[in-house]
Amino acid sequence: MKVLIITYYWPPAGGSGVQRWLKFVKYLQNFDIEPVVYTVDAINYPKEDNTLINQIPNNVQVLKQPIWEPTDLLFWKKNKSNNGISNVSKGGFLSFIRGNFFIPDPKIFWVKSSVNYLQTFLNSNKIDVVISTGPPHSMHLIGNKLHQKNNIKWIADFRDPWTDLYYNKDFNQLSVAKKRNKKLEISVLKNADCVLTVSNSLKKEFIKNAKRVEVITNGFDDEVLTRNLIRLDKKFSISYIGLLPKQSNPKLLFKVLKELCLEHVEFKNDLIINFIGDISDEVKAEITHNQLEENVNFIGYVSHNKAIEYQKKAQVLLLLIPNVKKSEGILTGKLFEYLTSKRPILAIGPEKGDLSEILKETNAGVVVGFNNEIKLKQEILKLYSQYKKGKLSIASNNIEKYHRKELTKELASVIKSLN
């Protein structure tokens, strides 16, 4: 059986967007499914990790076509040299242009040429199922066209929402743009033979328009299970790893940490807050506002393997969910790697939702509500007390089902059910 996977993010792309389908491709052949990948050629991704290229199986066919992105002319290069994509939705005129003229996203200009190229490929190659993954959601428009032209089975994979994507409101879309975006989304949901997504809450939203929705979460792979001895940080480190946009700016956390530093000199001397990755300007400004600069370490973007090292040596792992509508369904890909670290997870997000259920199921940490200052302070002091006693640890369990190979087994079952 053969599947065509349409994805914008592919090595050497770094960050979370590349991980899901890189890992599926890695394991699909174990279940008698041959993947063919279609992606962009000759592009400078906002973040790159060349170590991921080594994870692509040698016998996998990768098709590439060049892409023109108007954001290169507008603001992308400026952002890239500054803070990557954490500041892509800062608002203002350029964000307005992005939200109203490039629908659903600036990759829309790649759709027509991709459909033509892939149609030629399909004319001489047998493909059983086409799979598109977004964001960027223009990938689904390619899948939809091929599905309709060839009467071929199609799976649309949503790693994030479409019109409800957390940063959409910062684009200040006019009503005509919102309607156009929603129309495209509904068309994809209705036409796809199966919609895949990453959480049960998102499934509830998509099933309103889709004929079939399946949940396959993100997960972890063997590289995070390394048994190399990694010593824990000597200081009381609270480490955040990954992209941190302004929508996830933990203002309450910084307020509480400032208070604790003023109340306890020893706490201030022990505390270090590590940010490993792409951090928005608003977060940095909030740190300065709360006079926490001496306790903060900005490490910047690192390779995936290096990020794993930072996560394993942290005293506490910080997980932040965007404070937006329908946040109950947001499950960051980093969560599942956090689960393997055996370090306590302190999450700030909706206290009821998919994240809360997984942390309870795995006994890996706690979720504190966006505005629950009292509980947040209590949890930090509890963790700090355990740290001072040398007893800060976690006994996470029930995580095996989130291994990428197990998740690919689920995917293979969905693919085969379409034929």
Side-chain angles (χ1 to χ4, degrees), residues 56 118 135 177 269 284 287 309 342-343 345 379 396 402:
I56 304 171
L118 291 175
N269 292 335
K284 294 177 179 178
I287 289 168
E309 288 184 26
K342 304 296 182 182
R343 304 309 306 150
I345 298 172
E379 292 296 337
S396 57
Y402 298 116

Side-chain angles (χ1 to χ4, degrees), residues 4 36-40 61-65 110 117-118 121:
L4 173 65
V36 176
V37 176
Y38 174 70
T39 189
V40 295
Q61 184 177 13
V62 179
L63 309 173
K64 293 185 177 183
Q65 282 290 290
W110 198 52
Y117 174 84
L118 291 175
F121 176 81

Side-chain angles (χ1 to χ4, degrees), residues 151-260:
N151 193 28
I152 192 172
K153 298 297 183 180
W154 169 42
I155 296 174
D157 175 58
F158 285 76
R159 304 188 314 276
D160 286 306
W162 185 322
T163 52
D164 288 332
L165 195 56
Y166 67 85
Y167 53 71
N168 272 356
K169 66 181 180 65
D170 294 306
F171 292 139
N172 297 313
Q173 287 184 321
L174 300 174
S175 59
V176 63
K178 289 181 180 178
K179 289 178 181 177
R180 170 66 176 161
N181 213 17
K182 190 64 178 179
K183 183 178 180 181
L184 289 174
E185 178 186 24
I186 291 175
S187 174
V188 165
L189 292 173
K190 285 186 174 181
N191 288 337
D193 294 290
C194 179
V195 170
L196 278 186
T197 193
V198 296
S199 72
N200 290 317
S201 294
L202 284 179
K203 177 180 179 177
K204 291 177 183 177
E205 290 297 318
F206 292 141
I207 199 64
K208 297 173 184 177
N209 292 293
K211 61 188 77 167
R212 177 185 175 187
V213 182
E214 300 290 344
V215 175
I216 300 180
T217 67
N218 288 308
F220 63 87
D221 203 12
D222 291 337
E223 69 265 18
V224 301
L225 301 175
T226 175
R227 289 174 171 78
N228 295 340
L229 180 62
I230 297 178
R231 300 189 179 210
L232 291 175
D233 294 328
K234 291 184 178 180
K235 288 214 165 196
F236 180 58
S237 58
I238 301 175
S239 297
Y240 180 91
I241 301 164
L243 174 71
L244 183 48
K246 69 176 184 179
Q247 293 83 0
S248 301
N249 188 359
K251 294 182 179 181
L252 184 64
L253 172 67
F254 297 139
K255 178 178 183 291
V256 167
L257 290 176
K258 177 184 179 181
E259 291 175 358
L260 289 173

Side-chain angles (χ1 to χ4, degrees), residues 40-317:
V40 295
D41 189 21
I43 186 172
N44 293 318
Y45 289 106
K47 300 297 178 184
E48 294 186 1
D49 184 353
N50 286 294
T51 66
L52 297 179
I53 295 174
N54 299 326
Q55 296 189 32
I56 304 171
N58 293 328
N59 60 343
V60 168
Q61 184 177 13
V62 179
L63 309 173
K64 293 185 177 183
Q65 282 290 290
I67 184 173
W68 176 74
E69 299 193 57
T71 42
D72 282 344
L73 301 176
L74 293 174
F75 57 87
W76 191 254
K77 287 181 179 177
K78 178 177 181 294
N79 277 337
K80 183 179 175 183
S81 62
N82 182 17
N83 285 316
I85 61 175
S86 64
N87 294 300
V88 73
S89 61
K90 293 187 72 170
F93 178 70
L94 293 179
S95 290
F96 175 82
I97 294 294
R98 154 66 179 87
N100 288 277
F101 291 89
F102 306 134
I103 300 171
D105 48 64
K107 283 68 178 176
I108 185 66
F109 297 99
W110 198 52
V111 173
K112 184 176 180 180
S113 62
S114 294
V115 170
N116 292 338
Y117 174 84
L118 291 175
Q119 185 59 56
T120 300
F121 176 81
L122 291 174
N123 288 341
S124 56
N125 294 270
K126 186 180 186 306
I127 294 292
D128 298 289
V129 177
V130 170
I131 303 172
S132 56
T133 179
H137 294 304
S138 287
M139 303 303 105
H140 297 314
L141 304 186
I142 300 171
N144 198 1
K145 290 279 189 182
L146 295 175
H147 168 66
Q148 293 175 333
K149 292 179 71 171
N150 298 275
N151 193 28
I152 192 172
K153 298 297 183 180
W154 169 42
I155 296 174
D157 175 58
F158 285 76
R159 304 188 314 276
D160 286 306
W162 185 322
T163 52
D164 288 332
L165 195 56
Y166 67 85
Y167 53 71
N168 272 356
K169 66 181 180 65
D170 294 306
F171 292 139
N172 297 313
Q173 287 184 321
L174 300 174
S175 59
V176 63
K178 289 181 180 178
K179 289 178 181 177
R180 170 66 176 161
N181 213 17
K182 190 64 178 179
K183 183 178 180 181
L184 289 174
E185 178 186 24
I186 291 175
S187 174
V188 165
L189 292 173
K190 285 186 174 181
N191 288 337
D193 294 290
C194 179
V195 170
L196 278 186
T197 193
V198 296
S199 72
N200 290 317
S201 294
L202 284 179
K203 177 180 179 177
K204 291 177 183 177
E205 290 297 318
F206 292 141
I207 199 64
K208 297 173 184 177
N209 292 293
K211 61 188 77 167
R212 177 185 175 187
V213 182
E214 300 290 344
V215 175
I216 300 180
T217 67
N218 288 308
F220 63 87
D221 203 12
D222 291 337
E223 69 265 18
V224 301
L225 301 175
T226 175
R227 289 174 171 78
N228 295 340
L229 180 62
I230 297 178
R231 300 189 179 210
L232 291 175
D233 294 328
K234 291 184 178 180
K235 288 214 165 196
F236 180 58
S237 58
I238 301 175
S239 297
Y240 180 91
I241 301 164
L243 174 71
L244 183 48
K246 69 176 184 179
Q247 293 83 0
S248 301
N249 188 359
K251 294 182 179 181
L252 184 64
L253 172 67
F254 297 139
K255 178 178 183 291
V256 167
L257 290 176
K258 177 184 179 181
E259 291 175 358
L260 289 173
C261 286
L262 292 173
E263 295 168 4
H264 307 281
V265 175
E266 191 174 17
F267 178 88
K268 178 177 174 60
N269 292 335
D270 287 336
L271 176 67
I272 185 72
I273 313 162
N274 293 317
F275 289 102
I276 299 98
D278 184 0
I279 312 302
S280 73
D281 293 338
E282 284 82 355
V283 173
K284 294 177 179 178
E286 197 66 25
I287 289 168
T288 301
H289 175 72
N290 286 279
Q291 302 172 336
L292 290 169
E293 300 100 314
E294 293 181 8
N295 298 92
V296 172
N297 185 19
F298 290 109
I299 296 167
Y301 181 78
V302 299
S303 70
H304 187 230
N305 290 336
K306 194 67 177 176
I308 292 167
E309 288 184 26
Y310 280 111
Q311 114 186 351
K312 286 183 175 293
K313 68 180 184 178
Q315 293 290 349
V316 177
L317 289 169

